[in-house]
Amino acid sequence: MASQDHAYRPLALSLVKAFELIFSSVGGVVPDQIGLIWLQVRAMVLVPVVRIAVIVCLIMSVMLFIEKFSMGLVSFYVKIFRRKPEKIYKWETIREDEELGTLAYPMVLVQIPMYNEGEVYRLSIGAACNLVWPSDRLIMQVLDDSTDLTIRDMVQKECEKWLRKGITIHYISRDNRNGYKAGAMKEAMEIDYVQQCEYVVIFDADFQPASDFLMRTVPFLICNPELALVQARWKFVNANECLMTRIQEMSMDYHFKVEQESGSSTCAFFGYNGTAGVWRIRAINDAGGWKDRTTVEDMDLAVRAGLGGWKFVYVGNVKVKSELPSTFKAYRYQQHRWACGPAVLFRKMFWEIVKAKKVSIWKKLHVIYNFFLARRIISRFVTFSFYCVVIPLSVFFPEVEIPKWGMIYVPTTITLLNSVGTPSSFHLIIFWVLFENVMSLHRCKAVLIGLLEAGRANEWIVTEKLGDMLKTKSNISVTQKIRFKFWDRFHLLELGLAVFFMICACYDCIYRQDYFFIYIFPQSITFFIMGFGYVGTIIPSQK
């Protein structure tokens, strides 16, 4: 009975007891005392901590499941009942008036921000300049912050080529990168000729809009004065380049087909994707313009505009070609920025959201809970903490039980819901799970950095684009392809967790009967593969 009483003492008393055992021996701690100390610490500290971790992870899993399931229901409703944007909002084709002529078309500004985009600048500029719209009602801005003078010269010459063809295109460069992309767009919006424009459309350097993009999106803004943003969907030209891009496509298709669709259909609010969208310039100004306080200036503007009472619409049948990161290094940098930036923004805007006066309490709760907490913070933590830490660690603690519904049913349902965006890649769902668990390491770390606003919280590294480089350099010899810095291929965090997983799997296989090793072994192998850099496209280093 005495031992049972000890088992239920508060954690603080158990720690005191452990320290008493450590320091009570005279002449040093003998092996028997070490074993006793370990049993005390294990029973009164480690086991309760693991149990608490399991409970917290299960709660977060349920929260994430509810969020995913509710968004899935909305998307299902939209698809079944064909609730297209054209049915919800007014939409009329723009036609030239006999009296007004091209004045029937509003003035549109097209911005193409870029930074050392030597492989894709021709594609983006060419696609933008081929947009169907009266030339006298369209102004192009190429915002080039390139530090490579050779690339800067090439981009400028490309702009001059289109200028000679009658396109109103302005090449704008800066001597600094203050504010990064947001800083470049903010400065460009202050130029005098922009004042005559009603709308602005932004295309990142790797985006190639179809010629009818403006004809299909701008009418929403013309016919619906309450709309601030029309967001189009991204279509990936290199999705089949490697397994990593196929897996990315699955995640991105879910984001657009479910997250953006549900946000547009319920609250008329979602996070602007930073490109392939048309903004009402008045809405941008009303929200306070572009700000560079985070690395997600697009989301920052969207939240401020949404709190100002403006509505957004997602038009999924308008697709803009773009490129996925095909190197692991580029993808890691992108995911760090996409995970860290929202955490920083949430930290900065929480009280601003609470105090907003132009929106309902329901919309405030949606922004705080659904938009930030569930999707951009809890989802990052639960994926890494539960599947990469708690479950593998639990094999050493047979006293800790994880219920089947939390271990199998909820994660399986969430995984299946995530797969609906790309049915053609359903056979890759296992690889998607294993890959996403590895990436959760970096996303969770990035969220912590963002919430604490420490270290790399405001680091901006432009995602490397390859364009047609692999096609034009297909004659590179095998010896050239393996010229890379040897140590650049090793990722110590992934390798460290791979070893941890392998130890857990081996222990579970030998000493336990729960069969967790069936999941842990493949996850360990995946961490090893990605830790050694055998993922994505390998690009030969330049000499």
Side-chain angles (χ1 to χ4, degrees), residues 315-476:
V315 186
N317 58 357
V318 179
K319 303 175 184 178
V320 181
K321 294 180 180 179
S322 61
E323 181 181 327
L324 289 164
S326 58
T327 66
F328 187 41
K329 180 180 179 180
Y331 186 57
R332 284 177 64 184
Y333 282 132
Q334 182 201 69
Q335 292 303 297
H336 173 85
R337 179 161 53 88
W338 286 6
C340 183
V344 176
L345 183 62
F346 180 63
R347 174 191 170 106
K348 291 180 179 293
M349 289 202 68
F350 177 79
W351 289 113
E352 189 175 338
I353 297 169
V354 172
K355 296 176 182 178
K357 297 179 180 179
K358 295 184 178 180
V359 293
S360 64
I361 295 177
W362 157 247
K363 193 162 188 177
K364 293 179 187 179
L365 290 174
H366 174 78
V367 174
I368 292 174
Y369 177 77
N370 300 78
F371 186 73
F372 278 112
L373 280 177
R375 298 182 208 171
R376 290 168 176 84
I377 296 178
I378 290 175
S379 64
R380 313 300 192 194
F381 281 127
V382 70
T383 304
F384 177 69
S385 61
F386 196 26
Y387 307 118
C388 295
V389 178
V390 174
I391 291 176
L393 198 61
S394 68
V395 304
F396 299 108
F397 300 92
E399 307 95 325
V400 178
E401 292 186 8
I402 302 177
K404 285 186 178 180
W405 63 265
M407 179 71 184
I408 300 173
Y409 304 139
V410 169
T412 300
T413 306
I414 291 174
T415 300
L416 293 175
L417 289 171
N418 274 286
S419 68
V420 300
T422 317
S424 61
S425 295
F426 183 77
H427 61 289
L428 299 175
I429 194 68
I430 300 298
F431 297 101
W432 179 84
V433 170
L434 297 173
F435 180 84
E436 285 294 297
N437 284 346
V438 177
M439 291 308 302
S440 70
L441 163 66
H442 300 285
R443 295 184 183 121
C444 185
K445 182 179 69 172
V447 169
L448 284 173
I449 291 173
L451 291 175
L452 299 174
E453 205 165 356
R456 298 165 54 198
N458 293 308
E459 179 186 58
W460 181 295
I461 296 178
V462 176
T463 305
E464 179 186 25
K465 291 102 179 175
L466 303 182
D468 295 326
M469 185 177 76
L470 294 180
K471 297 178 183 178
T472 58
K473 296 184 180 181
S474 58
N475 59 342
I476 297 174

Side-chain angles (χ1 to χ4, degrees), residues 38 235 254 274 374 418:
W38 165 246
K235 180 179 177 62
Y254 173 82
N418 274 286

